Amino acid sequence: MGFVKRPEEIERIEHALSHPRFVNGEMLTVDFLTDPEVVEHILPPPLEPAGSPTVTAMVGRWQSNCVGDFHGGAIYVAARHEGVEGRYVLAMYMDNDQPTIYGRDLFGEPKKIAVSALHRHGEAFHGWLERGGVRLIELHGLLSTELGPSEGEGVNFNFKARPAADGIGLEEDAILTRATFQTKVTAAREGAGSVVLRGSVHDPLDELPIRSVLTGQFVECDLIASCESVARVPKNDFLPYHHGRHDDWAALDTESAAVVPVA
């Protein structure tokens, strides 16, 4: 039966879990500087700020060998851990449940369901991401400089944690993960960019000050990923960050709103 997998099925599934490929990707990104004290406040330990308080906003779409076709976006904050430079995934959004569950359970990415779009007209690019009726991310780029193909490597930091069964605190210590992406860029463009971040009680992206925009970029690329656990964080230390990476469950109270006051 499908509810209990055979050994050969487990082997096939675990290959998809351990060798993820996100290909034919198209990503529009805008890098900007925020306040250093904001970065220090939002980075969970043991992550440390990188050399500059750089934030990247991204909207894109991909194909894959593990979660089908998907669209989404994210907010990344420059960070480092034990000398390794990378980006902390502050917020991430996907358009359906497979990429959401895969990335959240495996890497610890703070994924939520949202809708997004990416458009191009010549050298002009526009991307947006919307959740709960709020257009959280809006990107524009006038990208006139062609950069050509390249290959590289990038690192993302995430945390795997889960609430305790009784709803108080976390079940166990959080796990810091480091995902490494081998990137093969087939085309890239760079130029002037702009970014607007909006927020809600569940997605307070508007709390990130945009002090100066650095650059806009559009890439077509393949991403080959691998991930590992690199540290543990005491559960009480991570708890404030854990709740900040999820929706505010108390704000979703519809029971109280349905109570009719007694005259």
Side-chain angles (χ1 to χ4, degrees):
M1 292 180 62
F3 285 109
V4 182
K5 299 301 185 186
R6 300 187 301 272
E8 61 271 21
E9 292 176 310
I10 294 173
E11 182 179 3
R12 173 175 52 81
I13 291 168
E14 289 186 345
H15 185 271
L17 286 168
S18 58
H19 295 79
R21 296 171 52 87
F22 308 108
V23 300
N24 297 322
E26 298 179 316
M27 294 184 291
L28 175 63
T29 62
V30 175
D31 293 345
F32 64 90
L33 295 179
T34 191
D35 295 335
E37 56 270 24
V38 170
V39 173
E40 292 181 5
H41 179 68
I42 62 179
L43 285 182
L47 295 181
E48 300 175 341
S52 65
T54 303
V55 179
T56 299
M58 179 273 292
V59 173
R61 51 182 173 243
W62 306 262
Q63 296 177 306
S64 77
N65 71 335
C66 52
V67 295
D69 298 349
F70 62 103
H71 295 214
I75 301 293
Y76 306 96
V77 181
R80 66 162 63 99
H81 175 251
E82 294 186 343
V84 177
E85 299 280 345
R87 304 183 302 181
Y88 169 57
V89 185
L90 180 66
M92 184 170 277
Y93 306 90
M94 299 285 115
D95 67 339
N96 64 75
D97 60 348
Q98 285 96 348
T100 301
I101 295 168
Y102 185 101
R104 192 166 57 197
D105 289 359
L106 192 63
F107 293 177
E109 294 169 329
K111 288 183 170 178
K112 303 176 182 180
I113 300 292
V115 294
S116 63
L118 178 57
H119 305 286
R120 176 182 182 178
H121 182 71
E123 297 178 352
F125 294 79
H126 176 215
W128 56 264
L129 183 141
E130 186 172 303
R131 183 172 190 259
V134 179
R135 186 156 289 192
L136 298 171
I137 302 173
E138 191 156 8
L139 307 178
H140 290 271
L142 186 59
L143 312 179
S144 56
T145 302
E146 292 191 20
L147 301 179
S150 64
E151 294 188 12
E153 181 178 285
V155 169
N156 285 355
F157 296 112
N158 286 286
F159 290 86
K160 298 178 73 168
R162 56 181 180 170
D166 63 4
I168 306 301
L170 298 180
E171 196 71 58
E172 63 270 301
D173 290 345
I175 300 170
L176 172 63
T177 70
R178 184 174 66 211
T180 302
F181 294 86
Q182 303 297 330
T183 305
K184 183 177 182 180
V185 175
T186 54
R189 304 181 71 91
E190 190 175 58
S194 66
V195 54
V196 176
L197 299 180
R198 301 181 180 92
S200 70
V201 65
H202 305 297
D203 303 288
L205 303 190
D206 56 338
E207 293 183 4
L208 287 172
I210 301 170
R211 297 309 181 195
S212 63
V213 174
L214 300 175
T215 186
Q217 192 173 90
F218 174 78
V219 298
E220 300 175 19
C221 66
D222 294 343
L223 303 171
I224 313 303
S226 61
C227 191
E228 58 185 328
S229 301
V230 294
R232 288 185 176 269
V233 183
K235 59 184 182 180
N236 291 336
D237 293 346
F238 188 70
L239 184 63
Y241 304 96
H242 171 80
H243 284 307
R245 289 161 67 86
H246 295 269
D247 284 354
D248 183 340
W249 306 117
L252 294 166
D253 178 8
T254 56
E255 178 190 21
S256 298
V259 175
V260 178
V262 178

